[in-house]
Each structure stands twice: as C-alpha cells, then as structure tokens.
C-alpha cells in the first residue's frame, strides 16, 4: 500500500465524501456533497486522507475562538474512514490533526457519537474525550447519542480519578 497523505479537503472532494458517508452512516442522514461544500464555504477546518489520488478519509472541526474572556470551543462535525482502510491509524491521524487546530486556540472540544459506535468511542476516549451525557433519539434512525468533551490539550478534568 502507498503511504497515506493528510492534506486539506477541497470542494473537489465533496462527491467522494458523500459516497463514503452513504457507506459509513446508512440510515443516519448521511451528508450530501452539498453539505460538505457548505461546511468548507463556512470556513470550517477539514482534513483529507489520501492513498494516491483516492480520498480514503475525511474529518472536520468547527473552531469558535473565545471572545471577551469566554472559553474557546471546537466541535468535531464529522470523521470517517473508508472501510477498506480502517484499523490503520488513519482515523487517529485525522483526529489528531483536527485537535491540533483546537489546541492551538486553547479550545474545549465537543462531539456527538452514537452510543453503540464502539470504534468511534474507542478512538475518542484514546485522545482524551469523556462522556458528558446522552441525547435521546438524536439520529434519524432513532438511535441515542453521547455528547463527549475533551479539555484543551486533552488534559483530564480536575475531578477525574488519578
Ligand atoms: C471511527 C473511525 C473513524 C476510526 O477510524 P480508523 O482509521 O479505523 O481508526 P484507527 O485505526 O486510527 O484507530 C484509532 C483508535 O480507535 C479505536 N478503534 C478503532 N477501531 C476500533 C474498533 N473496531 N473497536 C474499538 N476501538 C477501535 C482504538 O482506540 C484505536 O486505537 P488502537 O489502534 O491504538 O487500539 C472509523 O471506524 C469509521 O470511519 N467509522 C465509521 C464512521 C464513524 O462512525 N465516524 C464517527 C462518527 S461520530
């Protein structure tokens, strides 16, 4: 296999992103190509993972710098890896890249994840996210979501057991 390269996602990738979304999130409102273009035009930070010319992974984060003394916040909007390439560290590399952008502004990062999505929960816990609560019937399929939070730099919360 050729080495995987991470770079910026562009509007030219939107159709392939939508193709992967339909595979990765069936029944849970997979995003359209237009949704990806809107995300990029909104200025959100998106990374691509490529194997040669082929897009095999993507992820995006919205960054909200803290103003007037407020805490900066970030929200992971989506992340996905082609099933043929999962388990190779690509999801982790994409997430590390997005979190580096969040850490650069000192942001606390939030996300929602299906309560039964063990691979994603494992990935998020590995980089310092903790479950804050549960949103009932958050997804189109009726599935529940956990809301997760990661403090700036992935530091454990002050009340975490040592
Ligand atoms: C979640 C996802 C992005 C992970 O991508 P990936 O490239 O396969 O993940 P990586 O190989 O980088 O694995 C990183 C860590 O994730 C966790 N992980 C990955 N696959 C896992 C699995 N099947 N079960 C449990 N944990 C898993 C592990 O902690 C792993 O670290 P380790 O290899 O040191 O144990 C991928 O499974 C995916 O695209 N899923 C469908 C889309 C999705 O659910 N996105 C998240 C929506 S909130």
């Amino acid at each position: 296999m050729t080495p995987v390269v991470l770079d910026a996602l562009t509007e030219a990738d939107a159709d392939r992103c939508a193709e992967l979304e339909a595979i990765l999130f069936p029944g849970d409102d997979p995003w359209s190509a237009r949704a990806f273009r809107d995300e990029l035009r909104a200025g959100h930070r998106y990374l691509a993972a490529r194997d040669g010319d082929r897009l095999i992974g993507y992820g995006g984060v919205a960054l909200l710098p803290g103003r007037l003394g407020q805490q900066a916040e970030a929200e992971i909007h989506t992340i996905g890896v082609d099933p043929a390439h999962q388990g190779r560290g690509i999801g982790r590399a994409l997430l590390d890249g997005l979190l580096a952008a969040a850490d650069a502004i000192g942001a606390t990062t939030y996300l929602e994840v299906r309560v039964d999505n063990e691979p994603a929960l494992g990935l998020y816990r590995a980089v310092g996210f903790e479950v804050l609560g549960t949103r009932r019937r958050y997804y189109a399929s009726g599935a529940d979501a956990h809301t997760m939070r990661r403090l700036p730099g992935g530091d454990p919360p002050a009340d975490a057991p040592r």
Side-chain angles (χ1 to χ4, degrees):
M1 274 188 225
T2 48
V4 175
V5 172
L6 293 197
D7 63 9
L9 195 81
T10 73
E11 292 195 25
D13 297 311
D15 287 340
R16 171 69 177 147
C17 286
E19 188 180 293
L20 286 172
E21 282 268 317
I23 296 167
L24 297 171
F25 300 104
D28 276 333
D29 278 344
W31 284 7
S32 63
R34 180 177 178 166
F36 279 95
R37 283 193 290 271
D38 287 347
E39 286 280 298
L40 292 169
R41 287 174 193 174
H44 300 319
R45 186 76 56 93
Y46 271 76
L47 289 175
R50 303 181 198 278
D51 182 358
D53 288 342
R54 188 151 180 81
L55 183 84
I56 56 171
Y58 57 88
V61 63
L63 300 172
L64 302 159
R67 293 207 175 86
L68 304 173
Q70 288 177 325
Q71 169 69 48
E73 288 188 10
E75 183 165 331
I76 302 293
H77 277 188
T78 187
I79 185 165
V81 174
D82 183 333
H85 295 272
Q86 290 180 5
R88 293 177 58 197
I90 297 169
R92 175 70 188 257
L94 286 165
L95 189 56
D96 283 347
L98 300 178
L99 291 175
D103 286 342
I105 61 164
T108 297
T109 305
Y110 297 88
L111 58 80
E112 267 80 34
V113 56
R114 262 180 79 133
V115 296
D116 59 357
N117 190 343
E118 291 300 334
L121 284 164
L123 172 61
Y124 297 142
R125 286 200 175 101
V127 296
F129 282 92
E130 42 145 15
V131 172
L132 273 190
T134 304
R135 304 178 75 169
R136 300 281 167 214
R137 304 186 64 79
Y138 179 78
Y139 294 100
S141 61
D144 299 340
H146 282 321
T147 296
M148 300 186 83
R149 178 185 69 176
R150 176 187 179 271
L151 298 179
D155 294 334
D159 55 358
R162 293 180 192 275

